[in-house]
């Protein structure tokens, strides 16, 4: 397949380019942005386009795909609710707290190792930790997105964040020499990348931003609890886990 770092660079680079071509008028000119605007965009790229991708795929290399479908998407709403309440002025209700506790208990039940003393348990636990960190990073991205959307709208905040994320990924791709594996990638790998770009990046990220704009980061984050339902089922049906 295509190396993970190259996937990230192509994913966010081509998605940002597509967004720029289709909705260029939605992007404010870079020179008109204030210093705080640029720091905000830097945070979007660092958390959403760089760290989230690197941590998620590093965790996926060490832990089962079913764990990747559960840990990040299920724990990120908890972090998002807490961050949105602390820094975004969103109200934290008792039902949300109870739901967050239930989510964490569910994660522990699903991802516990089958054999605590198995030879691969350390590798799996490290992968689970990286996936947990990716969920925390996504929560930071969601809260920053709320601030960015208020300033330059959902399209520009998404596009600029992807561009900056690519900038962070370029040095890693050059050091890792990830482009070497592109020539040997199968047609199925390129089709999977196309789906990743247009479905799970352009559409999913854009709809996510629209949700944050309309109902807030905390409420939007709750819907990521649907990811494990489909992720675990697909890991079972497609990958045989």
């Amino acid at each position: 397949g295509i190396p993970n770092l190259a996937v990230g660079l192509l994913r966010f680079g081509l998605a940002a380019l597509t967004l720029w071509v289709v909705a260029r008028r939605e992007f404010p000119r870079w020179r008109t942005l204030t210093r705080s605007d640029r720091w905000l965009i830097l945070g979007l790229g660092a958390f959403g386009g760089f760290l989230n991708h690197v941590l998620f795929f590093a965790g996926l290399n060490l832990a089962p795909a079913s764990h990747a479908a559960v840990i990040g998407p299920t724990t990120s709403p908890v972090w998002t609710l807490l961050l949105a309440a602390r820094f975004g002025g969103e109200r934290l209700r008792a039902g949300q707290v109870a739901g967050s506790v239930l989510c964490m208990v569910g994660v522990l039940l699903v991802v516990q190792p089958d054999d605590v003393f198995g030879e691969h348990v350390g590798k799996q636990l490290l992968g689970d930790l990286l996936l947990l960190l990716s969920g925390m990073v996504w929560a930071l991205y969601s809260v920053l997105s709320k601030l960015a959307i208020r300033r330059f709208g959902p399209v520009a905040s998404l596009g600029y964040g992807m561009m900056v994320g690519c900038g962070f990924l370029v040095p890693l791709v050059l050091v890792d020499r990830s482009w070497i594996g592109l020539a040997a990638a199968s047609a199925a790998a390129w089709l999977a990348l196309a789906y990743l770009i247009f479905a799970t990046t352009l559409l999913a990220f854009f709809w996510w931003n629209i949700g944050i704009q309309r109902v807030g980061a905390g409420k939007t984050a709750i819907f990521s609890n649907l990811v494990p339902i489909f992720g675990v089922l697909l890991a079972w049906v497609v990958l045989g886990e």
Side-chain angles (χ1 to χ4, degrees):
I2 303 173
N4 293 335
L5 292 175
V7 166
L9 185 61
L10 292 171
R11 172 192 183 187
F12 292 113
L14 293 176
L17 178 62
T18 302
L19 206 57
W20 175 264
V21 171
V22 173
R24 185 175 180 178
R25 294 182 179 180
E26 298 290 331
F27 288 77
R29 294 184 179 180
W30 186 257
R31 64 173 178 268
T32 65
L33 299 175
T34 64
R35 180 178 296 181
S36 61
D37 290 337
R38 293 175 182 178
W39 276 110
L40 185 56
I41 291 172
L42 185 69
L44 291 175
F47 293 122
F50 175 63
L51 285 174
N52 179 63
H53 177 86
V54 171
L55 290 170
F56 179 83
F57 279 95
L60 186 59
N61 282 336
L62 300 172
S66 56
H67 288 206
V70 170
I71 296 175
T74 306
T75 58
S76 66
V78 179
W79 315 127
T80 305
L81 284 170
L82 295 175
L83 289 171
R86 178 64 180 85
F87 300 105
E90 296 184 17
R91 185 178 177 183
L92 189 61
R93 296 177 174 83
Q96 293 173 321
V97 174
S100 298
V101 173
L102 187 62
C103 282
M104 299 301 287
V105 172
V107 169
L108 291 174
L109 291 175
V110 171
V111 305
Q112 60 180 329
D114 295 328
D115 183 4
V116 177
F117 301 103
E119 61 176 315
H120 300 296
V121 67
K123 176 182 176 182
Q124 178 181 310
L125 290 175
L126 176 58
D128 290 344
L129 176 60
L130 294 173
L131 293 170
L132 178 64
L133 291 175
S134 76
M136 297 176 68
V137 165
W138 182 256
L140 288 167
Y141 169 78
S142 296
V143 174
L144 289 178
S145 291
K146 180 179 179 179
L147 301 176
I149 290 169
R150 288 175 178 173
R151 296 192 178 190
F152 12 88
V155 174
S157 60
L158 176 60
Y160 275 137
M162 289 179 179
M163 292 177 192
V164 172
C166 285
F168 283 116
L169 285 168
V170 166
L172 293 183
V173 172
L174 293 177
V175 172
D176 188 59
R177 298 172 63 86
S178 299
W179 70 87
I180 295 177
L182 296 179
S186 65
W190 286 108
L191 286 173
L193 177 63
Y195 177 81
L196 190 65
I197 293 170
F198 294 103
T200 66
T201 304
L202 274 175
L203 287 178
F205 274 59
F206 178 68
W207 287 337
W208 187 263
N209 279 7
I210 292 296
I212 290 174
Q213 183 183 41
R214 295 189 178 184
V215 301
K219 289 183 179 179
T220 301
I222 295 173
F223 286 90
S224 67
N225 286 297
L226 294 173
V227 174
I229 299 174
F230 297 104
V232 171
L233 287 174
L234 288 172
W236 171 52
V237 174
V238 179
L239 301 178
E241 291 189 358

